[in-house]
Amino acid sequence: MAYEKKKAWSILLRLYHWAFALSIVALCITGFYIHDPWTNTVAEGSQSFVMTWMRFIHFVAGYVFTGAMLARIFLYIFGNKWERLPEQLPVTPRNIKNFFNTLLRYSYIKDDHDTDRLGHNVLAGMTYVAIIVAAVFQTISGFYLLFPEIGTWEVYGVMIFGSQQYARYIHHLLMWLFMIFAFIHLYLVIWNDIKEPEGLVSAIFTGVKFQHKT
Amino acid sequence: MADTANKTLDPRLNRRGFLKGCTMAAAALGLSETVVPKMVEAATSGQRPPVIWMHFQECTGCSETLLRGAHPDLANLILDIISLDYHETVMAAAGYQAEEALHDSMKKNRGKYIMVVEGSIPTKEDGIYCKVAGKTALDSLNEVAAGAAAIIAIGACATFGGVQAASPNPTGAVGVDKLITDKPIVNIAGCPPNPVNFLGTVLHFMTFNRFPALDQLKRPKFGYGRRIHDHCERRAHFDEGRFVEQFGDEFHQAGYCLYKVGCKGPETFANCPTARFNEMGVWPVSIGHGCIGCTEPAFWDTMTPFYERIPDVNIPGTGIIEDADRLGTQILGVTAAAVGIHAAVGIGKRLIKGKSGSDES
Ligand code: HEM
Ligand code: SF4
Ligand code: SF4
């Protein structure tokens, strides 16, 4: 059977994806270090600024993460058909149908894959929206921790979190959300890649998915 | 100037002590020493602001710290520059006499007096959990606040509710600014706060006729504008990654950073590292114990366990209270097991049917 190549993801979406993914890896590792520094510099005056470096990497990665998140929000509004927000949520009969179809497919009850969409299935799309919402909170808490004395961050930080310590607590819990998400995400992407001919994994590099020629 | 000082002030307070107190307050406020004469003038003008000091749910620790400082000049100075018309634990009067003093002062100085509140106010069951002279704290607060020019909430309890407000907060205890919204309020946070911060605020009010600049939580910026961590003498150890692993270990003896034994300096705003306590240049971190974050809102709930970095996760309704990382690892483990089962079912199905998904159909 013949396949045709169809363009699904814009270059900005692919850049967003990898900036987001790599920054999350860096942020989780350095974040864990900041929370519980597992090294102990014994030699004093040894020019080893471990904590300083970890925090520096965390903040640089934090800016990359923030940039990526903003790019995704931009694409939710101005992206291509598959990238926009209404495509991700169960707000049309077509999307609601896809949502249930995906649930059945994931529980091995049904096998056929909806062919009327190139973008995410609705379950995945909804999860990604939730992750971007979590990213907004992660960013606000992060910047509030970074710039607690600067007016804007102080105002919103206190309004949303109440105190530095609470912001840190939420920041820490959200880290776990990102890690658990990343784990499930990786599994389901590979699962889909094996089951369907779309080429889900390569699509996030090339932007192209495969569909049956009709 | 000095002798003028002694005409209105307690003779036991000498010129040197008096100037020293004013200079300390000016330094804490971050003002230049050129304002010291102005402060002295205000403090010796003889117009001592009338103060009504209310005690609600509290331990009087805040009054104790103010009055029993190792530095008697500071306490004298505070008592001398204000006219303390009513203070339940310090005043000689009792019973009806005390009540009369309160009402006299409220009537005579209406709209002019400063109200100081120490202790939280219970709000559940119409506030019956704290009563003085037959009136609930809630009623007394509203009554006295109505005639006040300004309110100073002193201590963790009056500012953010303190230990009484710790979860599950059985009496519905709250701080003053949750109840009074139409008066200028300053929160002198801390359990107990450094007397210098109270004195600085009062002197600022007397000298400039307004409160000093406040942060989002109504704490004066001169005392609470900066995190402990950003001014801590152990910060170099933090940056270079040298930590105390356990109290009493070799790293503790070497004076390393207390971050790993739960120091809350990174999330607490206060001037303890610069103002210090007891005129002996000490503060918790300098003597080897981490900061417990007593100047922050809800510190009993968010800064505990005191020897851990962040609070435990409490899942309501389940009774589960667990360390965040242990819980996270458990959830990740359950997720991994679920993923394993899901994959196994997929493989099993494929083996039975001898056919993969929809790709070749
Ligand atoms: C997926 C994204 C992120 C993860 C997983 C993450 C993780 C963490 C963790 C685990 C901590 C330690 C908190 C603790 O003590 O328990 C931390 C601290 C911190 N994070 Fe993030 N973070 C993320 C994004 C950001 C962003 C976007 C910023 C903004 C620049 C940021 C700024 C900070 C700051 C300022 C601290 C406190 C460091 C310190 O001064 O000690 N983080 N982060
Ligand atoms: S703030 Fe602390 S020291 Fe002050 S009265 Fe309350 S419990 Fe006591
Ligand atoms: S002892 Fe506490 S306040 Fe000082 S550097 Fe370490 S963590 Fe920061």
Side-chain angles (χ1 to χ4, degrees):
Chain A
M1 186 164 288
Y3 291 101
E4 64 183 330
K5 280 179 165 185
K6 283 193 181 162
K7 174 100 174 166
W9 305 127
S10 65
I11 178 80
L12 184 59
L13 187 123
R14 284 172 278 151
L15 278 175
Y16 139 75
H17 177 270
W18 289 110
F20 201 62
L22 296 177
S23 65
I24 287 176
V25 172
L27 285 162
C28 286
I29 296 172
T30 53
F32 244 120
Y33 185 86
I34 294 168
H35 174 72
D36 183 13
W38 58 77
T39 63
N40 214 330
T41 314
V42 186
E44 289 181 30
S46 56
Q47 294 193 4
S48 89
F49 291 89
V50 208
M51 181 53 104
T52 317
W53 275 107
M54 288 290 184
R55 291 178 73 227
F56 181 70
I57 297 167
H58 194 84
F59 304 151
V60 172
Y63 279 100
V64 173
F65 177 86
T66 311
M69 174 193 89
L70 293 174
R72 188 61 185 106
I73 292 171
F74 172 85
L75 289 174
Y76 274 141
I77 305 166
F78 302 108
N80 71 27
K81 178 167 185 243
W82 311 115
E83 292 160 359
R84 291 194 188 181
L85 191 59
E87 182 69 10
Q88 325 296 328
L89 302 172
V91 287
T92 57
R94 177 176 146 272
N95 282 359
I96 294 172
K97 189 180 140 272
N98 176 267
F99 175 74
F100 287 108
N101 195 31
T102 307
L103 284 183
L104 293 176
R105 217 159 52 80
Y106 281 2
S107 40
Y108 300 109
I109 293 170
K110 232 170 122 178
D111 255 347
D112 35 320
H113 180 63
D114 281 343
T115 50
D116 60 346
R117 52 196 312 129
L118 270 181
H120 309 307
N121 68 55
V122 175
L123 183 64
M126 277 165 71
T127 311
Y128 303 155
V129 172
I131 285 296
I132 292 295
V133 172
V136 170
F137 281 96
Q138 190 72 331
T139 312
I140 297 174
S141 58
F143 279 104
Y144 173 49
L145 286 172
L146 189 55
F147 302 121
E149 289 106 354
I150 290 181
T152 326
W153 295 115
E154 192 197 337
V155 171
Y156 289 107
V158 170
M159 210 158 76
I160 298 171
F161 303 106
S163 70
Q164 281 275 303
Q165 174 73 350
Y166 209 69
R168 223 180 155 99
Y169 177 61
I170 299 294
H171 199 78
H172 191 94
L173 295 189
L174 285 175
M175 174 183 71
W176 279 102
L177 179 75
F178 282 101
M179 290 201 298
I180 291 162
F181 161 75
F183 183 77
I184 299 175
H185 175 68
L186 272 176
Y187 170 70
L188 283 177
V189 164
I190 296 170
W191 185 87
N192 272 288
D193 197 66
I194 293 171
K195 290 202 63 120
E196 304 299 332
E198 284 183 326
L200 209 59
V201 175
S202 67
I204 202 65
F205 291 98
T206 61
V208 169
K209 284 192 180 180
F210 295 89
Q211 274 195 339
H212 290 301
K213 238 190 189 119
T214 41
Chain B
M1 185 172 75
D3 292 327
T4 3
N6 252 344
K7 276 180 198 143
T8 46
L9 296 168
D10 185 333
R12 278 172 305 171
L13 178 62
N14 62 29
R15 171 177 185 265
R16 210 171 147 264
F18 177 71
L19 288 179
K20 203 170 153 196
C22 285
T23 311
M24 270 171 69
L29 282 163
L31 297 172
S32 110
E33 61 177 323
T34 52
V35 304
V36 173
K38 237 187 128 183
M39 268 186 170
V40 172
E41 200 185 304
T44 54
S45 63
Q47 291 171 334
R48 305 191 302 166
V51 170
I52 296 179
W53 193 298
M54 304 299 286
H55 295 260
F56 298 128
Q57 293 189 128
E58 45 91 33
C59 73
T60 316
C62 300
S63 290
E64 289 282 337
T65 1
L66 277 181
L67 301 177
R68 290 184 202 269
H71 197 310
D73 297 336
L74 207 59
N76 281 338
L77 184 57
I78 291 169
L79 287 180
D80 276 329
I81 59 174
I82 61 176
S83 158
L84 196 52
D85 290 358
Y86 181 83
H87 184 298
E88 280 146 17
T89 44
V90 173
M91 69 199 305
Y96 290 113
Q97 233 181 345
E99 279 298 292
E100 218 177 283
L102 173 62
H103 289 115
D104 282 355
S105 177
M106 274 172 59
K107 211 152 70 203
K108 199 167 85 211
N109 303 309
R110 198 167 174 79
K112 284 188 297 211
Y113 60 86
I114 299 177
M115 178 190 194
V116 178
V117 180
E118 186 178 347
S120 62
I121 302 99
T123 55
K124 273 197 195 151
E125 260 83 56
D126 295 324
I128 54 164
Y129 296 104
C130 177
K131 279 186 167 183
V132 177
K135 266 183 295 191
T136 62
L138 210 52
D139 289 341
S140 303
L141 177 80
N142 286 326
E143 193 186 328
V144 180
I151 302 176
I152 301 179
I154 187 166
C157 312
T159 52
F160 308 124
V163 69
Q164 302 77 253
S167 175
N169 193 355
T171 65
V174 295
V176 177
D177 69 353
K178 291 277 177 308
L179 299 167
I180 307 289
T181 46
D182 58 348
K183 299 276 170 182
I185 298 179
V186 177
N187 282 333
I188 310 292
C191 189
N194 196 321
V196 161
N197 293 343
F198 178 75
L199 178 66
T201 305
V202 173
L203 274 175
H204 192 286
F205 190 76
M206 290 175 66
T207 313
F208 303 108
N209 227 340
R210 60 185 155 78
F211 280 139
L214 305 180
D215 73 1
Q216 229 19 54
L217 296 162
K218 301 198 178 73
R219 299 176 295 195
K221 281 191 174 159
F222 75 83
Y224 304 89
R226 216 190 218 149
R227 281 182 292 193
I228 300 267
H229 189 55
D230 294 337
H231 229 91
C232 171
E233 66 255 33
R234 300 192 186 212
R235 179 60 184 265
H237 296 302
F238 173 85
D239 285 342
E240 293 192 39
R242 291 193 291 267
F243 302 100
V244 174
E245 300 284 347
Q246 218 179 345
F247 285 107
D249 68 5
E250 53 180 312
F251 307 120
H252 195 209
Q253 285 163 19
Y256 290 174
C257 166
L258 298 154
Y259 188 79
K260 284 172 90 169
V261 285
C263 176
K264 302 301 188 302
E267 39 274 320
T268 304
F269 289 84
N271 56 355
C272 309
T274 48
R276 308 204 166 212
F277 293 89
N278 303 342
E279 325 311 322
M280 281 159 48
V282 292
W283 68 293
V285 168
S286 78
I287 52 167
H289 192 285
C291 162
I292 60 167
C294 80
T295 60
E296 292 292 308
F299 90 94
W300 286 100
D301 291 331
T302 62
M303 301 293 180
T304 50
F306 286 138
Y307 303 105
E308 303 288 338
R309 287 237 56 74
I310 51 169
D312 289 336
V313 181
N314 183 348
I315 304 173
T318 59
I320 296 175
I321 300 177
E322 180 71 284
D323 173 80
D325 288 339
R326 218 169 305 138
L327 195 68
T329 318
Q330 280 164 10
I331 297 176
L332 201 59
V334 170
T335 314
V339 160
I341 293 169
H342 191 262
V345 170
I347 294 168
K349 212 180 149 203
R350 184 184 284 227
L351 287 178
I352 292 166
K353 277 197 170 172
K355 201 173 162 201
S356 59
S358 56
D359 50 348
E360 298 306 328
S361 54

